Amino acid sequence: MMTVNEVSKLTGVSIRTLQYYDKIGLLHPTGYTNSGYRLYDDMALEKLQQILLFRELEFPLKKIKEIISASNFDRNKALEQQITMLQLKKEHLENLITFARGIQLIGVKTMDFSAFDTSKLDEYVEQAEKQWETTAAYQEFLNKRKGRATETENAIAAGLVLILEEFGKLREASPGAQEVQRLVKKLQDYITEHYYECTTEILAGLGKMYAGGGAFTENINDACGTGTAEFTADAIDIYCKNA
């Protein structure tokens, strides 16, 4: 665990900024010292890295909070997208440097503004934001979650894990088996009751996410048995196609 002062020295982010991030709910400390000073663990520092990368890409804090708080946020995929955007930004800056040096050497000979074109970067950011944007379902999730006690949140999350564990126990069966398909319906109803209206379209998207690799897939397979995420995704796919 690191104190807020140590985190500030390590990252270059001011203590005041870290306090502000806590205030707006962007980055809460992991805990506090007996004297009331903020403490941060490795997971909090990883989250801070994500925030700082988005800030380098000039994302507003409100947008960053929406992105990294989303239930479907994939840290690894976001990192790949951030790398691509940074590369595009680097390319843009190199073009500007070359353009400026040309003016310095020979002066302005033509009205060439191509170096200022950011359309490629803008297009990529727009595509990425469509994957990160806060949906109506996520807003519903926030509304349902509002006011819930931590114990209630933990109990609901545990209930979801129990359903996924049921998929794990059935993963040797056919994903289209009646018992498995009933379990998919149970999963859909549970999500609707406790999180947001889980339409067939949303359920299909969740299935793809479960088997899409990254943290989601790993967490399900670690908790419920190797292959559970992929089996659940296959079962969801069959269910949605027959809906």
Side-chain angles (χ1 to χ4, degrees), residues 39-214:
L39 292 171
Y40 297 84
D41 63 7
D42 289 345
M43 287 186 65
L45 291 177
E46 286 182 11
K47 189 173 183 180
L48 179 57
Q49 286 177 336
Q50 281 287 338
I51 292 168
L52 294 179
L53 281 170
F54 279 121
R55 289 298 289 153
E56 285 294 328
L57 291 163
E58 301 176 19
F59 278 68
L61 292 177
K62 183 179 179 182
K63 190 66 176 178
I64 297 172
K65 183 180 177 182
E66 289 177 358
I67 292 169
I68 65 178
S69 299
S71 57
N72 63 344
F73 178 67
D74 186 329
R75 188 175 68 86
N76 293 328
K77 184 173 182 180
L79 186 58
E80 289 176 6
Q81 292 170 323
Q82 287 168 332
I83 290 170
T84 299
M85 282 185 272
L86 287 168
Q87 288 173 332
L88 290 170
K89 186 175 181 179
K90 176 187 174 185
E91 179 183 316
H92 172 62
L93 289 173
E94 287 175 343
N95 288 338
L96 284 176
I97 291 169
T98 301
F99 178 73
R101 282 178 177 161
I103 293 175
Q104 185 181 48
L105 290 171
I106 61 175
V108 179
K109 297 297 182 182
T110 59
M111 297 302 288
D112 181 7
F113 289 86
S114 61
F116 297 94
D117 183 9
T118 63
S119 59
K120 188 188 294 185
L121 174 59
D122 293 342
E123 182 181 355
Y124 187 87
V125 171
E126 184 180 352
Q127 290 173 353
E129 282 188 343
K130 284 179 181 178
Q131 297 179 29
W132 297 329
E133 66 185 1
T134 302
T135 61
Y138 182 59
Q139 287 297 333
E140 184 182 351
F141 162 69
L142 290 180
N143 291 333
K144 285 190 175 183
R145 188 181 183 186
K146 195 179 299 181
R148 281 180 185 165
T150 302
E151 295 79 7
T152 303
E153 281 292 308
N154 291 340
I156 291 172
L160 184 59
V161 172
L162 287 175
I163 295 175
L164 293 171
E165 286 178 349
E166 290 184 60
F167 278 105
K169 293 173 184 176
L170 293 172
R171 66 184 186 277
E172 298 302 323
S174 166
Q178 194 172 41
E179 184 180 10
V180 178
Q181 290 298 295
R182 280 199 298 267
L183 191 56
V184 175
K185 180 65 166 62
K186 180 179 178 180
L187 173 65
Q188 184 181 31
D189 291 343
Y190 190 88
I191 293 171
T192 295
E193 180 181 357
H194 297 289
Y195 294 104
Y196 45 77
E197 184 182 357
C198 188
T199 63
T200 302
E201 183 180 2
I202 289 176
L203 183 63
L206 286 173
K208 291 176 182 177
M209 193 191 315
Y210 288 167

